[in-house]
């Protein structure tokens, strides 16, 4: 009786031990479909050499990357931007982006999205240039182009070349409109130790460097009345600027002291009368 009881106890222990052993074994999976049974204590080591705790699944990022992940980690990867099907990033003006299934790319293109950031940026900039030209804001159009060229930094970029050509078109149109090689962008009057000063911001819209300019403008007071030279002469002021280094499309600010025009509050009718270029040629109105 005692022997039977002993054998029974030994059998129970064997069964329990066997169950513990099998309970501590785990099936792992490879990318090529193989399976491997390992102890729980070996799981991490097997992960480092490419085995997974569940059948692996190929996941995709919006920028074209691919990654094999364990089937029991799919949701974790979805939460950080991975997908179960090939994805593509689409772009729209003003830095908008969206990740869409690759098979839907053409559908998004048809409603105004683009497949590259540069193409979206170009289609953001062109309407701005067109609007500036529609209101004859040539200076604003060139500033938009300058900003665009900073963004399209690659000289071989097709959009960079197109923006450069647009700059030339704007410059030629501007010059033909004002009929002079220098444009007055803005003007204002300041007071320097009791002497009024006319400040004029100029832009070179010619293809040559400028070394000197002559200009004229009329002086007006706060009531928009002409201010005559010492109260008796003309309201017209003639100004000169020499020893300039004024390159194509450069913007420079120049000022002239308005001696004899002490009541001046604003200036009008700015005209460039002569321009001397660095190559020795002279333009005259």
């Amino acid at each position: 009786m005692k022997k039977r009881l002993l054998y029974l106890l030994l059998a129970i222990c064997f069964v329990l031990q066997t169950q513990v052993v099998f309970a501590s074994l785990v099936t792992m999976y490879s990318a090529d479909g193989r399976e491997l049974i390992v102890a729980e204590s070996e799981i991490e080591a097997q992960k480092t050499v490419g085995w997974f705790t569940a059948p692996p699944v190929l996941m995709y990022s919006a920028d074209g990357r691919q990654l094999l992940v364990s089937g029991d980690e799919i949701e974790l990867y979805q939460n950080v931007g991975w997908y179960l099907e090939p994805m593509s990033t689409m772009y729209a003006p003003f830095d908008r982006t969206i990740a869409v299934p690759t098979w839907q790319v053409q559908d998004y293109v048809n409603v105004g999205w683009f497949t590259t950031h540069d193409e979206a940026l170009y289609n953001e900039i062109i309407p701005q240039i067109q609007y500036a030209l529609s209101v004859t804001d040539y200076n604003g159009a060139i500033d938009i182009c300058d900003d665009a060229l900073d963004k399209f930094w690659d000289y071989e970029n097709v959009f960079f070349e197109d923006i450069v050509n647009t700059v030339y078109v704007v410059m030629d149109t501007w010059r033909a409109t004002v009929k002079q090689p220098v444009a007055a962008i803005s003007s204002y009057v300041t007071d320097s130790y009791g002497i009024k000063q006319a400040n004029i911001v100029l832009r070179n819209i010619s293809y040559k460097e400028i070394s000197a300019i002559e200009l004229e403008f009329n002086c007006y007071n706060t009531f928009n009345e002409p201010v005559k030279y010492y109260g008796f002469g003309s309201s017209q002021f003639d100004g000169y600027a020499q020893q300039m280094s004024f390159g194509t499309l450069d913007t420079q600010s120049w000022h002239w002291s308005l001696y004899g025009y002490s009541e001046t509050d604003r200036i009008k009718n700015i005209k460039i009368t002569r321009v001397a270029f660095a190559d020795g040629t002279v333009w005259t109105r």
Side-chain angles (χ1 to χ4, degrees):
M1 184 65 181
K2 291 183 179 180
K3 286 184 178 181
R4 289 182 182 178
L5 183 58
L6 177 61
Y7 290 146
L8 180 59
L9 290 174
L10 289 174
I12 293 173
C13 288
F14 175 77
V15 171
L16 291 175
Q17 185 177 8
T18 302
Q19 289 178 341
V20 169
V21 170
F22 279 100
S24 64
L25 296 179
V26 175
T27 301
M28 299 195 73
Y29 305 85
S30 70
D32 58 6
R34 290 174 295 146
E35 297 182 2
L36 178 67
I37 297 176
V38 302
E40 285 186 353
S41 60
E42 298 178 3
I43 291 177
E44 294 303 320
Q46 295 299 330
K47 282 183 177 180
T48 63
V49 292
W51 288 85
F52 302 87
T53 54
V57 175
L58 186 61
M59 299 195 73
Y60 305 85
S61 70
D63 59 6
R65 290 173 294 150
Q66 297 180 3
L67 180 67
L68 271 175
V69 305
S70 183
D72 53 8
E73 296 180 342
I74 290 176
E75 187 174 351
L76 293 175
Y77 280 87
Q78 287 179 322
N79 291 339
V80 293
W82 288 83
Y83 302 88
L84 288 172
E85 60 182 330
M87 303 292 288
S88 297
T89 300
M90 304 290 291
Y91 304 85
F94 305 103
D95 294 324
R96 290 177 295 152
T97 61
I98 188 173
V100 303
T102 300
W103 61 272
Q104 288 186 336
V105 166
Q106 189 57 49
D107 293 335
Y108 279 82
V109 169
N110 293 341
V111 294
W113 288 82
F114 302 94
T115 57
T116 68
H117 175 266
D118 282 355
E119 191 177 7
L121 178 60
Y122 178 79
N123 282 274
E124 170 189 330
I125 291 168
I126 291 301
Q128 296 178 27
I129 295 173
Q130 292 172 339
Y131 174 77
L133 292 176
S134 72
V135 295
T136 64
D137 181 11
Y138 301 110
N139 187 63
I142 289 182
D143 283 343
I144 293 170
C145 290
D146 285 343
D147 182 59
L149 292 177
D150 288 338
K151 295 176 180 177
F152 294 121
W153 57 270
D154 185 356
Y155 290 90
E156 296 181 357
N157 186 306
V158 62
F159 301 116
F160 183 96
E161 181 179 352
D162 189 74
I163 295 296
V164 169
N165 292 332
T166 300
V167 170
Y168 294 143
V169 171
V170 174
M171 187 169 67
D172 292 343
T173 304
W174 193 358
R175 191 173 57 255
T177 301
V178 298
K179 296 180 173 59
Q180 57 191 34
V182 178
I185 298 173
S186 62
S187 65
Y188 56 96
V189 175
T190 56
D191 191 305
S192 179
Y193 301 101
I195 303 298
K196 292 297 181 71
Q197 286 189 337
N199 302 269
I200 302 177
V201 179
L202 302 171
R203 191 160 205 167
N204 180 359
I205 53 175
S206 75
Y207 289 94
K208 298 191 290 186
E209 183 177 344
I210 293 172
S211 57
I213 64 170
E214 293 181 359
L215 52 72
E216 63 183 41
F217 54 81
N218 297 100
C219 300
Y220 290 82
N221 62 20
T222 307
F223 297 100
N224 207 30
E225 299 168 338
V227 176
K228 297 181 179 181
Y229 183 62
Y230 287 110
F232 300 99
S234 170
S235 66
Q236 179 177 304
F237 180 93
D238 297 315
Y240 307 87
Q242 300 180 12
Q243 298 180 334
M244 304 174 76
S245 180
F246 200 6
T248 298
L249 289 180
D250 282 353
T251 299
Q252 295 185 2
S253 179
W254 292 80
H255 66 268
W256 290 265
S257 296
L258 301 178
Y259 296 108
Y261 299 88
S262 59
E263 299 301 319
T264 300
D265 178 70
R266 65 200 65 179
I267 61 174
K268 298 182 181 181
N269 309 319
I270 302 170
K271 294 179 182 179
I272 308 299
T273 53
R274 283 204 303 173
V275 175
F277 296 100
D279 64 2
T281 58
V282 175
W283 173 88
T284 303
R285 175 174 291 278

